[in-house]
Amino acid sequence: MTRFRVLVVDDEAPARAKVKRLLADDPRFTLAGEATDGTEALARVESLAPDLVILDVQMPGLTGFEVLEALGAETCPAVIFSTAHDAFALRAFEAHAVDYLLKPYDAERFTRALDKAHAQLVGGRARAERLQALLDGVATRPGRPLERLVVKVGEAWVPLRLDAVWRLSSEDKYVRLHTDQGEHLVRQSLKALEERLDPERFVRVHRGDIVSLDAVARLEPWTHGDGILVLKNGATVVLSRTWREAFLQRWGMEG
């Protein structure tokens, strides 16, 4: 029988010990490794390629949500989240996650979560679709605007504050984040990211572009109602007539 490999991620040693103890009693799974925070989890997923991650939601540094977003649906293993009191996690994962474990949980509840994970892992193909739905659910969650994203720089994962980004451009299934220090790709759609951005700071100017209002130096006329935005760093971005009025209002200028 195939034994699926599990990565356990939790910043609390007793919580990791409990998961490992319960996993040892289940012949369908085996421990692949463990991580004590979100950054280590990203590295462990890449090096160990586990089938399943049991992932704490609230950890120092990167949260479980940020780990999931950084990995993306195509590379992320199946995920069971564990949480002590994150009400949003309960709502989101009731619909899309493999399962969630509300701490403290007992062996019976843990086994039920593993049952669901095993069914998905055996099923295979539907997992990526469910993970994408999960990411979409995370992307549309209410609350404060997005303040940072986790991006990969070389071999390391690092948080990138959105106030350093002056443009977001769509590239197929990715979004390119433009900063004065370089560019980064994240596996999300521009629409999903737009819904999480601070509307006081970022505005859509084209089907494939969002810019920071603070980065705009001037607007120059172009053709057929389109315009050219000249940014403070000298870069230019097309302002489509489709988004012109909304941009002017947000920029503080009547259309």
Side-chain angles (χ1 to χ4, degrees), residues 159-171:
L160 173 69
R161 292 194 58 80
L162 269 293
D163 53 15
V165 176
W166 48 265
R167 178 185 177 188
L168 302 91
S169 54
S170 176
E171 292 191 17

Side-chain angles (χ1 to χ4, degrees), residues 2-6 28-30 49-53 76-80 98 113-128 130-131:
T2 299
R3 299 187 72 186
F4 294 108
R5 302 169 68 251
V6 182
R28 300 169 298 178
F29 295 90
T30 186
D51 302 295
L52 172 68
V53 179
C76 187
V79 175
I80 295 173
V98 171
L114 288 187
D115 289 344
K116 293 182 181 178
H118 188 265
Q120 286 200 16
L121 290 167
V122 170
R125 291 183 58 186
R127 180 166 59 85
R130 273 188 282 268
L131 281 169

Side-chain angles (χ1 to χ4, degrees), residues 41-82:
L42 289 169
R44 293 286 188 181
V45 168
E46 287 195 333
S47 63
L48 300 174
D51 302 295
L52 172 68
V53 179
I54 299 178
L55 183 60
D56 191 17
V57 172
Q58 293 164 312
M59 297 180 289
L62 304 182
T63 68
F65 293 124
E66 290 172 324
V67 170
L68 189 71
E69 290 170 341
L71 290 170
E74 294 180 359
T75 58
C76 187
V79 175
I80 295 173
F81 272 83
S82 62

Side-chain angles (χ1 to χ4, degrees), residues 202-219:
F202 292 99
V203 60
R204 174 84 71 144
V205 296
H206 191 272
R207 180 168 56 86
D209 285 298
I210 292 171
V211 299
S212 167
L213 286 165
D214 291 338
V216 178
R218 64 181 185 274
L219 168 63

